[in-house]
Amino acid sequence: MAHPKTEQTLVIVKPDGIQRALIGEIIGRYERLGLKLVALKMLVPTEAMIEGHYLLDPNWKKNVGTKAIESYTKKGEKPPSSDPIEVANLVVERLKRYMTSGPVIAMVWEGAHAVELVRKITGGTEPRSASIGTIRGDFVVDSYQMADSDNRAIRNLIHASGSVAEATMEIPHWFASGEITNYRVPHEATLYDSDIKSILG
Ligand code: ADP
Ligand code: MG
């Protein structure tokens, strides 16, 4: 089995993240944890790339719809539809507009538990309810209600793979294998070597 330190996850700084000048802040959050940036590029995605990205996981539609409906129900409010798939179809159309509106930065981050830890630092989908200390909780104010009433996607600065399975499908959707670099950084020894006896001279 591959060492856990080789786990990779896809992160995309969405168009609003670039407009808000948060590229450095976002990269810094993952970097300071000890994760390693192994691929990065700026591009303006096409609608086909965005639709393809969100439909890679056959369960995504049901999950995204259910999550939105639950958020409304928890606040005692009525969701725009009670059918998760109907909600998801709306979201896909909104995401195509949002994600093609300007440049994005796609990245691959590598390290132990990269998928889970990047999600933890990034925070929940809805900035309104995302925890304090997370990027979405600290830097942006959007909600399901505002997005629905303006018929647009929730602006939450970042995409991050939701599971190892999702990351495995998403990374090749955005990067050719030759665009991902295999290299070492010195702090990996402190994070991962089985002993650190060799520090003293
Ligand atoms: P996450 O990005 O946290 O993994 P999802 O995969 O569930 O979230 O949804 C993908 C993206 O679609 C979200 O980041 C957000 O920009 C947008 N989105 C999700 N649900 C809605 C919704 N109900 N209305 C508008 N936009 C949404
Ligand atoms: Mg997701």
Side-chain angles (χ1 to χ4, degrees), residues 14 60 64 67 91 94-95 119 125 136 144 153-154 156:
K14 293 177 173 180
W60 178 82
V64 75
K67 208 159 61 171
V91 173
R94 294 170 179 180
L95 279 168
R119 287 290 284 201
T125 303
R136 286 165 168 176
Y144 283 107
I154 294 177
N156 55 11

Side-chain angles (χ1 to χ4, degrees), residues 5 27 48 101 109 111-112 163 189 197:
K5 71 182 179 185
I27 289 181
S101 64
W109 286 88
S163 64
K197 282 201 205 97

Side-chain angles (χ1 to χ4, degrees), residues 50-188:
I50 297 306
E51 182 156 11
H53 166 89
Y54 283 106
L55 301 184
L56 285 169
D57 172 5
N59 297 317
W60 178 82
K61 276 196 177 183
K62 191 157 171 282
N63 293 341
V64 75
T66 306
K67 208 159 61 171
I69 293 165
E70 270 171 9
S71 151
Y72 275 97
T73 314
K74 216 157 77 189
K75 294 190 181 77
E77 293 165 6
K78 205 171 150 327
S81 161
S82 56
D83 175 7
I85 302 296
E86 221 170 86
V87 172
N89 287 337
L90 260 177
V91 173
V92 172
E93 288 312 306
R94 294 170 179 180
L95 279 168
K96 285 199 276 189
R97 266 188 285 136
Y98 170 36
M99 294 295 288
T100 62
S101 64
V104 304
I105 289 179
M107 304 181 265
V108 179
W109 286 88
E110 185 178 289
H113 316 296
V115 172
E116 185 184 323
L117 295 177
V118 163
R119 287 290 284 201
K120 183 171 75 163
I121 292 170
T122 303
T125 303
E126 185 197 34
R128 178 185 182 183
S129 50
S131 302
I132 293 168
T134 66
I135 304 170
R136 286 165 168 176
D138 282 356
F139 290 100
V140 68
V141 300
D142 212 1
S143 65
Y144 283 107
Q145 278 79 357
M146 279 207 293
D148 280 327
S149 66
D150 294 343
N151 186 29
R152 59 167 176 77
I154 294 177
R155 294 180 189 143
N156 55 11
L157 306 171
I158 296 164
H159 165 79
S161 304
S163 64
V164 172
E166 215 173 86
T168 307
M169 293 186 281
E170 289 178 352
I171 292 168
H173 185 73
W174 291 87
F175 290 95
S177 58
E179 293 177 306
I180 301 171
T181 307
N182 184 10
Y183 68 101
R184 267 194 307 276
V185 288
H187 70 243
E188 283 175 291

